[in-house]
């Protein structure tokens, strides 16, 4: 199977981080899609961090994807949003669309997939593919075969695989049908994060 289109959104390598410093660092390395996932912020804090993240990528090719804080994303002028299933309950999709924001939605089971598809998102995320310790999950690891099943069900909508994925899994996950791989700990907890990012980006360039 050919490597996914490197010009598509989200990029095949999709980094997920929790601080503006990480956003700036990855943007300078050439990462194209960076999700800012900072939890438990009030409205003012959310607006500040989103504004700072957008400023941090100025002059780079990076696209900032705001996790959860859709109101802050609209006010700050962000272009991309990611919603979990809980976030989706609170979100005003009409306001999000009117602001010109793309949005992706997390899914973990059949019911969540149906909910996500009804919202007509720009991409669907499936996770966790493997076991992850980064956050408490009420869902067991999905496994790679689930990627193929989900992709058949969602058709042309981009599919993002997330959860415990390392660079060494990339070829198998793309071959299973994922259009993008969201990566957290393989970068942020790596002994040499910059080298790991270059490895991901280098794989993309060589295989595209």
């Amino acid at each position: 199977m050919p490597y996914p289109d490197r010009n598509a959104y989200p990029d095949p390598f999709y980094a997920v981080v929790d601080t503006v410093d990480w956003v700036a660092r990855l943007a300078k390395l050439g990462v194209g899609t960076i999700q800012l996932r900072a939890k438990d912020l009030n409205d003012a804090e959310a607006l500040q961090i989103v504004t700072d993240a957008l400023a941090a990528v100025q002059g780079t090719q990076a696209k900032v994807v705001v996790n959860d804080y859709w109101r802050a994303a609209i006010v700050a002028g962000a272009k991309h949003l990611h919603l979990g299933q809980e976030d989706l309950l609170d979100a005003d999709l009409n306001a999000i669309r009117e602001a010109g924001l793309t949005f992706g939605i997390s899914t973990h089971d059949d019911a969540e997939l149906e909910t996500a598809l009804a919202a007509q998102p720009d991409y669907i995320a499936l996770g966790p593919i493997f076991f992850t310790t980064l956050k408490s999950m009420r869902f067991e690891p999905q496994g790679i075969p689930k990627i193929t099943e989900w992709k058949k069900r969602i058709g042309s909508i981009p599919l993002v695989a997330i959860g415990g994925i390392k660079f060494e899994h990339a070829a198998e996950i793309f071959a299973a049908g994922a259009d993008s791989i969201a990566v957290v700990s393989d970068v942020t907890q790596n002994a040499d994060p910059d080298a790991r990012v270059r490895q991901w980006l280098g794989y993309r360039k060589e295989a595209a």
Side-chain angles (χ1 to χ4, degrees):
M1 176 179 174
Y3 197 86
D5 180 4
R6 58 190 278 188
N7 296 313
Y9 173 78
D11 287 67
F13 172 58
Y14 182 169
V16 181
V17 294
D18 60 1
T19 68
V20 174
D21 286 346
W22 270 114
V23 170
R25 181 175 180 175
L26 296 179
K28 289 176 182 175
L29 288 168
V31 178
T33 303
I34 307 170
Q35 184 182 133
L36 176 63
R37 186 167 72 186
K39 294 298 185 180
D40 303 319
L41 304 181
N42 62 37
D43 289 346
E45 292 168 336
L47 180 57
Q48 187 64 60
I49 196 171
V50 171
T51 300
D52 291 347
L54 293 173
V57 303
Q58 287 292 318
T60 74
Q61 67 175 359
K63 299 175 287 291
V64 174
V65 184
V66 179
N67 183 294
D68 183 10
Y69 304 111
W70 61 270
R71 294 179 182 87
I74 291 173
V75 174
K79 300 299 183 186
H80 307 283
L81 184 68
H82 182 86
L83 299 170
Q85 292 283 321
E86 297 80 7
D87 307 326
L88 189 58
L89 296 174
D90 171 62
D92 184 338
L93 295 183
N94 288 331
I96 290 166
R97 290 191 180 97
E98 286 172 6
L101 282 157
T102 71
F103 65 94
I105 300 175
S106 296
T107 65
H108 307 87
D109 61 20
D110 289 339
E112 291 189 352
L113 179 58
E114 292 304 315
T115 298
L117 288 173
Q120 299 181 317
D122 294 277
Y123 70 80
I124 283 176
L126 170 66
I129 302 305
F130 302 121
F131 177 76
T132 176
T133 59
L134 289 180
K135 62 178 182 176
S136 177
M137 296 295 296
R138 61 188 178 92
F139 297 96
E140 292 296 316
Q142 305 282 358
I144 290 177
K146 192 70 166 285
I147 296 171
T148 304
E149 176 191 340
W150 242 232
K151 186 58 183 174
K152 287 178 180 176
R153 292 173 69 175
I154 69 176
S156 62
I157 301 172
L159 177 62
V160 178
I162 186 170
I165 301 171
K166 298 185 181 303
F167 176 76
E168 290 76 15
H169 304 131
E172 188 176 7
I173 288 175
F174 283 127
D179 299 287
S180 174
I181 296 175
V183 176
V184 189
S185 61
D186 194 46
V187 169
T188 61
Q189 296 182 10
N190 197 282
D192 190 343
D194 291 10
R196 193 58 151 177
V197 168
R198 292 188 185 100
Q199 193 172 20
W200 276 100
L201 296 177
Y203 178 90
R204 179 181 70 180
K205 290 172 184 174
E206 290 161 9

